[in-house]
């Protein structure tokens, strides 16, 4: 096995060849009906990596039938056994971390070190939910009148539909599969057509770890809507767990209304990053690098709007620009590269358009500000100052390596600007004043707050947003609840 930085191009062919390319339905890998395939590209070169099966709506219905057939027996499997499957899968992922990371870098672009970080993060969801599988509890209580008893039981929701995005191709899957397996739910999972290879690799690992046939069914497709809508409207699936953009999430919520499916929605963000005049600026710049540059800025948690107190704004911008300008941009497989390409031409065009719009509206480039010539979808790490709040950069998800800085004068102005968005996933704030820290944390309208840190994601913590950033939480002790129903049995006690 290779380690980061030591692999040779032959490794790239070896790891890609090892990924199963079919649909995984009922425990069997098979071609899509009609033999249809779709191409997976390397965003660093724009060249094809491989072809994978491209599911049709009929294939999707077969996957749903397989999950439905597996549901009852899987729900009856002892929780300890379900947990042990997750634990074995965790161990296999960690044993194969180098190969899994290389596959991820090839299909998605992030540097190998970041891919390894994501594989570890992703595997940790399995370890966490292996432990949660045996802690599903219930309750027994005396009714207030004393004449009956309440028995409260938790049961698996039933068959779940899982839809994951391309930006964290492994972790967004394990964050759903982990609690679904722990709770006893069979699944149909649809990864993004841009980055299906991580989920294909994972399905094989789960089968090897002993997951029964039909519990996880994988349908990669170039027709996401046409394949998933009939499954959502069918009625046999009882839950949809979706991670992706807010517009698609809203459309799916409407579809879920027909059969009143349970939903978990992990949607888009527009995170404010507040730097107060009493902040430790070096700590704030470190946090900004994490919150902005993780995943090349292609993260729902990415700092989107830097709101900095006027008295420290110039120094903060200078320090941040020095760090951003020193980053090495390149193919994520190459040693020393810190910033990979954006995922595709569309992603880069959007970043370019947002930066151009801000410049037209009066912003100034401190560093970067343009795409990198040549093959692949690279964009230079960029810092802009004087970004007006009405610029598109301040209102839309950037999903690229661009830090947009705006100044504020008072705490109230900072909080008002931070909350002036339909999104509410995460906010960051840097201050050394404990009272201000707690007061502003309470005032920020977001599901998560990073206080003097640029990283909030942790499998043991409840991840999720408010407002149009979503519904429900993933991870933490509440993560499994999303896959459980509460049943109450009223017990007559006579008299
Ligand atoms: P997206 O376009 O909404 O796609 C997400 C997933 O939905 C993909 O698998 C996509 O398939 C599928 N999809 C697209 N249209 C669909 C439809 N009509 N019916 C069913 N499925 C459909 O989002 P993305 O560009 O992949 O991901 C980036 C977005 O995800 C950002 O907004 C980001 O903030 C958000 N995100 C949120 C979180 C969170 O935890 N809150 C985490 C990560 C990402 P195809 O890709 O094959 O079209």
């Amino acid at each position: 096995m290779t380690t980061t930085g030591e692999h040779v191009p032959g490794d790239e062919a070896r790891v890609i060849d090892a990924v199963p390319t079919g649909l995984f339905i009922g425990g069997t890998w098979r071609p899509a009906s009609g033999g249809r395939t779709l191409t997976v590209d390397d965003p660093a070169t724009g060249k094809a990596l491989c072809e994978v099966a491209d599911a049709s709506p009929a294939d999707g219905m077969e996957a749903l039938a397989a999950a439905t057939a597996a549901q009852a027996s899987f729900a009856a499997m002892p929780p300890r056994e379900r947990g042990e499957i997750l634990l074995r899968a965790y161990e296999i992922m960690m044993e194969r971390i180098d190969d899994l990371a290389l596959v991820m870098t090839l299909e998605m672009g992030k540097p190998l070190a970041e891919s390894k970080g994501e594989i570890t993060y992703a595997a940790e969801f399995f370890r966490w939910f292996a432990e949660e599988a045996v802690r599903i509890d219930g309750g027994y209580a005396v009714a207030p009148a004393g004449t009956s008893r309440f028995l409260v039981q938790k049961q698996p929701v039933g068959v779940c539909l899982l839809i994951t995005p391309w930006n964290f191709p492994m972790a967004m899957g394990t964050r759903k599969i982990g609690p679904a397996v722990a709770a006893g739910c069979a699944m149909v999972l649809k990864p993004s057509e841009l980055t299906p290879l991580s989920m294909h690799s994972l399905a094989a690992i789960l089968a090897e770890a002993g997951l029964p046939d039909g519990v996880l069914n994988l349908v990669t497709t170039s027709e996401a809507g046409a394949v998933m809508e009939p499954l959502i409207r069918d009625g046999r699936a009882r839950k949809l767990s979706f991670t992706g953009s807010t517009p698609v999430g809203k459309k799916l919520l409407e579809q879920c209304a027909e059969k009143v499916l349970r939903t978990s929605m992990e949607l888009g963000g527009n995170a404010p990053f507040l730097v107060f005049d009493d902040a430790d600026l070096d700590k704030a710049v470190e946090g900004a690098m994490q919150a902005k540059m993780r995943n090349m800025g292609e993260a729902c948690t990415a700092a989107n709007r830097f709101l900095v107190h006027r008295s420290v704004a110039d120094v903060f911008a200078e320090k941040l620009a020095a760090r951003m300008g020193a980053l090495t941009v390149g193919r994520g497989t190459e040693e020393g590269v810190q910033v990979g390409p954006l995922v595709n031409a569309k992603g880069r065009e959007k970043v370019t358009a947002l930066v151009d719009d801000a410049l037209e509206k009066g912003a100034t480039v401190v560093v970067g500000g343009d795409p990198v010539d040549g093959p692949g979808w690279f964009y230079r790490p960029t810092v802009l100052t004087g970004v007006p709040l009405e610029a598109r950069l301040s209102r839309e998800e950037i999903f690229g390596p661009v830090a947009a800085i705006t100044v504020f004068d008072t705490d109230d102005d900072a909080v008002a600007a931070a909350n002036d968005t339909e999104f509410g996933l995460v906010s960051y704030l840097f201050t050394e004043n404990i009272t201000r820290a707690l007061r502003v944390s309470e005032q920020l309208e977001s599901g998560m707050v990073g206080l003097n840190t640029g990283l909030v994601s942790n499998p043991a913590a409840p991840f999720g947003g408010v407002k149009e950033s979503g519904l429900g939480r993933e991870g933490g002790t509440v993560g499994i609840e999303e896959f459980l129903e509460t049943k109450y049995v009223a017990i007559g006690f006579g008299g």
Side-chain angles (χ1 to χ4, degrees), residues 163-168 172 175 190-194 221 224-225 228 242-246 248 251-252 266-269 299-300 397 399 425 463 469:
I163 301 179
T164 57
W166 52 264
N167 63 341
F168 293 99
M172 297 304 95
R175 204 163 77 169
K190 192 209 80 63
S192 169
E193 66 174 310
L194 298 177
T221 178
M228 294 312 289
F242 171 76
T243 298
S245 62
T246 296
V248 173
K251 201 190 293 184
L252 296 176
E266 296 287 349
L267 309 178
C300 53
E397 260 190 314
F399 252 55
L425 188 61
F463 187 104
S469 285

